[in-house]
Amino acid sequence: MNVGVQSVARCRPGDVATGGGYDTVGLVAPLNVIENKPIPTGPGAQSGPATGWVTHASVGVLGGGFRAYVMCDDL
């Protein structure tokens, strides 16, 4: 049985996301990354600049972890 996990990193208010990704820490099982993308300011492709980064994954055995990170810039 796989367990779904999520990590979110957000920019400070007034900043926009210019990139991002995820890091793993001491995982004891393979991480199946399902989604690794910027967080838009609203729905739709033309919603405006991203304000954070989100990573969704699944893992078969809990242990260790992962975290999303975001690179931000002043608007």
Side-chain angles (χ1 to χ4, degrees), residues 6-21 37-42 49-56 67-73:
Q6 172 183 305
S7 181
V8 176
R10 296 197 183 274
C11 296
R12 288 185 274 183
D15 287 357
V16 296
T18 59
K37 67 177 191 170
I39 301 170
T41 54
T51 57
W53 203 267
V54 62
T55 303
H56 290 100
R67 66 176 177 244
Y69 64 85
V70 64
M71 295 174 282
C72 303
D73 197 6

Side-chain angles (χ1 to χ4, degrees), residues 3 10-12 14 26 29 36 44 46 49 54 57 60 62-63 69 74-75:
V3 176
R10 296 197 183 274
C11 296
R12 288 185 274 183
N36 184 44
Q46 303 299 321
V54 62
L62 294 177
Y69 64 85
D74 292 333
L75 192 58

